[in-house]
Amino acid sequence: MPRVFVQGRPVDSYPRLAPEARRGAVRRITEVGEEVLHKSCRDVTEFGPDLAALIDDMFLTMYVADGAGLAANQVDVDLRLFVYDCLDDDGVRHVGHIVNPVLEPLDPTERRLLDEGEGCLSVPGAVMDVPRPDRAVVRGLDKDGNPLTVEGTGYFARCLAHETDHVSGHVYLDRLSGRERKEALRQVADRRDEVFARRAAKTEALKSQVSPSVPPRL
Ligand code: NI
């Protein structure tokens, strides 16, 4: 079985950082409570260099925060798209972006719910168990407007569902009980500073890796 899928298709190999990140800039990640995270985003209607540049920035921003997925409203852009670089439960890596994603409804008799740990870059420092289907199919477009379908299982299915929730204006806390939500926010209060310090350090470390002024190592 191929070990890497890019835009839903198997490839033989892929760099550790997606090429988009080398062109991108780091943007600020929005946090729970900011309006842009709690309303449905607008469909993307313009496919061109601005969209491609946004995707580049989203990849780099995701990497400096050690994320497995990032939606546009997490960098304060009110548009329906997300990027991902995520391992599934079989250790297969999935990398890509999807524009105007729609999660396909699955037959309830064929899906199984997994109640496993989930975090979010916009809820820094918290991890809570959230029930999610063990399989997900998302349909949408690529940055050039071509139709695209991405399927995932296990943790990658969780990622696809989580990111599609984001573009609809939902964070995973919305799926928790009031008591669990309070617990998640308590974890944020405890660990937020530590998470931000780690992101700052990673930003410095990645700058040297992605900087075009550094000659390639032989
Ligand atoms: Ni998230």
Side-chain angles (χ1 to χ4, degrees):
M1 185 176 190
R3 304 311 288 170
V4 188
F5 285 76
V6 177
Q7 295 295 103
R9 294 209 181 98
V11 297
D12 289 335
S13 70
Y14 207 65
R16 199 171 59 80
L17 299 182
E20 287 90 339
R22 296 180 181 279
R23 302 184 293 256
V26 177
R27 298 202 190 192
R28 183 184 73 87
I29 296 177
T30 52
E31 284 184 72
V32 60
E34 293 186 46
E35 193 191 351
V36 71
L37 288 174
H38 303 284
K39 58 174 189 174
S40 198
C41 296
R42 291 178 297 123
D43 268 335
V44 172
T45 53
E46 287 184 34
F47 297 82
D50 289 351
L51 180 63
L54 171 61
I55 290 169
D56 293 345
D57 290 357
M58 287 169 65
F59 263 101
L60 186 58
T61 303
M62 173 176 73
Y63 287 141
V64 301
D66 286 322
L70 183 79
N73 55 350
Q74 294 186 273
V75 293
D76 209 12
V77 175
D78 169 30
L79 288 174
R80 294 178 62 87
L81 77 139
F82 65 82
V83 302
Y84 58 88
D85 189 338
C86 182
L87 293 176
D88 65 23
D89 295 353
D90 300 312
V92 176
R93 182 182 172 201
H94 301 266
V95 191
H97 67 267
I98 188 161
V99 174
N100 300 340
V102 176
L103 194 63
E104 192 167 280
L106 297 175
D107 182 344
T109 61
E110 283 178 19
R111 69 167 206 192
R112 205 161 55 93
L113 287 177
L114 301 176
D115 201 11
E116 289 175 355
E118 185 167 323
C120 177
L121 299 182
S122 296
V123 189
V127 177
M128 297 294 292
D129 283 350
V130 183
R132 298 274 190 191
D134 62 352
R135 185 170 168 267
V137 179
V138 174
R139 292 187 199 284
L141 304 169
D142 70 11
K143 64 178 170 50
D144 302 312
N146 302 309
L148 173 66
T149 301
V150 181
E151 293 188 46
T153 57
Y155 192 72
F156 183 49
R158 178 174 298 277
C159 170
L160 292 173
H162 178 115
E163 301 309 329
T164 310
D165 269 0
H166 269 305
V167 302
S168 307
H170 295 294
V171 293
Y172 78 89
L173 301 183
D174 302 346
R175 296 184 175 271
L176 302 179
S177 69
R179 199 163 52 84
E180 291 168 325
R181 188 185 167 93
K182 264 193 198 147
E183 166 58 24
L185 295 176
R186 193 159 40 231
Q187 291 180 16
V188 172
D190 284 351
R191 298 178 193 154
R192 184 175 176 275
D193 289 353
E194 188 190 316
V195 169
F196 276 66
R198 205 161 55 224
R199 287 182 191 172
K202 187 93 185 246
T203 301
E204 287 308 309
L206 279 187
K207 253 185 208 161
S208 57
Q209 276 184 47
V210 302
S211 164
S213 63
V214 176
R217 294 198 186 91
L218 298 173

